[in-house]
Amino acid sequence: MTRILFLSAYNAPSSHLAAAFARARDVADIEIFSSAISPGTVPAQVHDVMREVGLSLEAVSDQPFDAATAPEFDTVILLAAQSGSPVLLPNHPVCLQWAVEMPTEAQGNLPAFRSYRDRIRTLVDTFLDEGCLKTLVAVHQYEHLLLDCISDGVIAHDLKRRIIEFNRAAE
């Protein structure tokens, strides 16, 4: 089972839109999660444009994201308006960043929110249809195999000095 986390920076609901589109695809052997680094409210326009495509965000509960207690994911996709620091998580999953900026409520016209929705849908579709996910999962698995082929002991830890990876030689 492949576990994907869509993670929004700041208070944008981008991760919820991405998760809704990915869940609607109903791809086998994939678990989809969403969260936000700084949760906020979802603007009414976002709900409106998602209902236009038959999806609802009503059941989404936005919990603050805590990297220290996060479960293990295979892939993390950070949705942010601009480049930022990488997300450090247990098991060091593959991390991608998608540049997505939500329109402000002042720009609150529906065409702007439709464009925002369609951008996220295109990114999710491309990620799932073009083999990106399969490639990332394979790279992650080969990374573990390669690490075990090294005769020297290798231990990796996070910023709080918790061991997140080690090879057979270190074991």
Side-chain angles (χ1 to χ4, degrees):
M1 181 68 64
T2 301
R3 297 168 56 96
I4 302 171
L5 171 65
F6 290 101
L7 180 63
S8 290
Y10 312 111
N11 65 353
S14 307
S15 61
H16 301 314
L17 274 71
F21 285 122
R23 286 182 188 126
R25 299 287 304 275
D26 198 25
V27 178
D29 297 326
I30 295 178
E31 284 185 277
I32 306 292
F33 300 86
S34 71
S35 189
I37 293 173
S38 300
T41 59
V42 178
Q45 297 95 325
V46 172
H47 288 287
D48 292 343
V49 298
M50 289 302 282
R51 276 193 290 273
E52 290 176 358
V53 294
L55 296 175
S56 173
L57 299 178
E58 300 299 330
V60 172
S61 62
D62 210 359
Q63 300 296 320
F65 180 75
D66 181 5
T69 61
E72 291 186 0
F73 298 102
D74 298 296
T75 302
V76 175
I77 300 174
L78 178 65
L79 294 103
Q82 52 191 326
S83 295
S85 301
V87 180
L88 299 175
L89 294 173
N91 196 34
H92 62 82
V94 175
C95 294
L96 301 175
Q97 184 166 342
W98 292 347
V100 178
E101 187 167 2
M102 184 181 79
T104 63
E105 293 210 41
Q107 300 167 316
N109 58 31
L110 283 179
F113 281 93
R114 284 182 188 115
S115 176
Y116 166 70
R117 173 202 66 203
D118 294 344
R119 168 100 172 106
I120 293 172
R121 175 191 272 174
T122 300
L123 288 167
V124 170
D125 287 346
T126 301
F127 180 71
L128 294 175
D129 291 341
E130 302 297 325
C132 299
L133 177 60
K134 289 179 184 176
T135 301
L136 292 175
V137 169
V139 165
H140 193 60
Q141 290 170 344
Y142 289 128
E143 178 182 280
H144 292 289
L145 292 173
L146 181 62
L147 194 60
D148 280 339
C149 290
I150 298 173
S151 60
D152 292 330
V154 177
I155 299 174
H157 61 83
D158 64 12
L159 295 175
K160 293 184 180 180
R161 295 216 171 271
R162 290 178 298 218
I163 294 173
I164 57 173
E165 185 73 52
F166 56 91
N167 66 355
R168 286 188 189 151
E171 187 176 16

